[in-house]
Amino acid sequence: MKAAAGETAPAKVAAAGREVATPHGVARYQLDVPADHGGTLLVLGHGAGGDVEAPDLVAVHDAALARGVAVALVTQPYRVAGRRAPAPAAQLDAAWLAVIAELRGALDFATLVVGGRSSGARVACRTAREAGAARILALAFPLHPPGKPEKSRAEELETGVPTLVLNGDRDAFGVPGERPHVRVHVLPGETHALSKRTATLAAAAVDFVAGG
């Protein structure tokens, strides 16, 4: 994983990647553990038609490693199979939980933080309590389909788990409002891609992930 622009290279890590059989096909994860791992694992999922190389995920991955946080980047079964159209929500959630169960056997950690960008953020929110997550990191949370604010997904943020939402003020999918347990950090000039101010985004994200 290459460092994003403006980020320093992460500390030396022990990396492991493997495939996981889930109820809905084979998922894949890349697990990176820094030499100074402090006991927190951050698990991140990708957007609906994207992958784990998205600029915001890369930036958070690298910044987290530099802070002693282990990071697992998860690829859903439909993307492993080469499809761009996402699977139904229930299938995404089940596959995600299967990967987290696998990670519990692969790494000794004390604190689990779950998150992702867009669709991945929704999966993390929907499954956070069942996964036993201490915190949720939601990047570009898609509040509603573009042009359809009446179809709000705000209820998915109502987990009771401390959550940080990072969205751009030009996001066509909308920007969630703050609520109990949910902090919202709006990045000026950013669209749904969250690709312009990745260093600022990663700094805010990792402060939260690390317990700040």
Side-chain angles (χ1 to χ4, degrees), residues 33-84:
V33 184
D36 59 347
H37 182 218
T40 296
L41 171 64
L42 171 62
V43 186
L44 294 171
H46 53 78
D51 56 35
V52 295
E53 297 293 334
D56 53 349
L57 294 178
V58 171
V60 172
H61 167 277
D62 292 351
L65 291 180
R67 286 280 292 272
V69 174
V71 184
L73 298 170
V74 177
T75 303
Q76 285 275 357
Y78 75 94
R79 294 295 288 139
V80 173
R83 299 190 299 273
R84 293 189 66 85

Side-chain angles (χ1 to χ4, degrees), residues 6-157:
E7 295 287 345
T8 57
K12 182 179 179 181
V13 300
R18 63 175 300 174
E19 294 185 338
V20 180
T22 82
H24 303 288
V26 175
R28 182 183 301 129
Y29 71 79
Q30 172 191 319
L31 173 63
D32 295 314
V33 184
D36 59 347
H37 182 218
T40 296
L41 171 64
L42 171 62
V43 186
L44 294 171
H46 53 78
D51 56 35
V52 295
E53 297 293 334
D56 53 349
L57 294 178
V58 171
V60 172
H61 167 277
D62 292 351
L65 291 180
R67 286 280 292 272
V69 174
V71 184
L73 298 170
V74 177
T75 303
Q76 285 275 357
Y78 75 94
R79 294 295 288 139
V80 173
R83 299 190 299 273
R84 293 189 66 85
Q91 294 185 18
L92 296 175
D93 294 355
W96 175 260
L97 289 169
V99 174
I100 289 179
E102 183 83 7
L103 285 165
R104 289 191 180 279
L107 179 69
D108 183 16
F109 59 90
T111 302
L112 174 65
V113 183
V114 295
R117 69 165 280 104
S118 195
S119 172
R122 296 182 64 196
V123 173
C125 288
R126 291 194 301 260
T127 60
R129 294 186 69 86
E130 186 172 353
R135 291 183 286 282
I136 304 168
L137 176 65
L139 306 173
F141 185 90
L143 182 62
H144 56 72
K148 298 181 179 179
E150 72 280 3
K151 295 187 176 181
S152 175
R153 299 155 176 157
E155 74 281 354
E156 292 183 350
L157 290 166

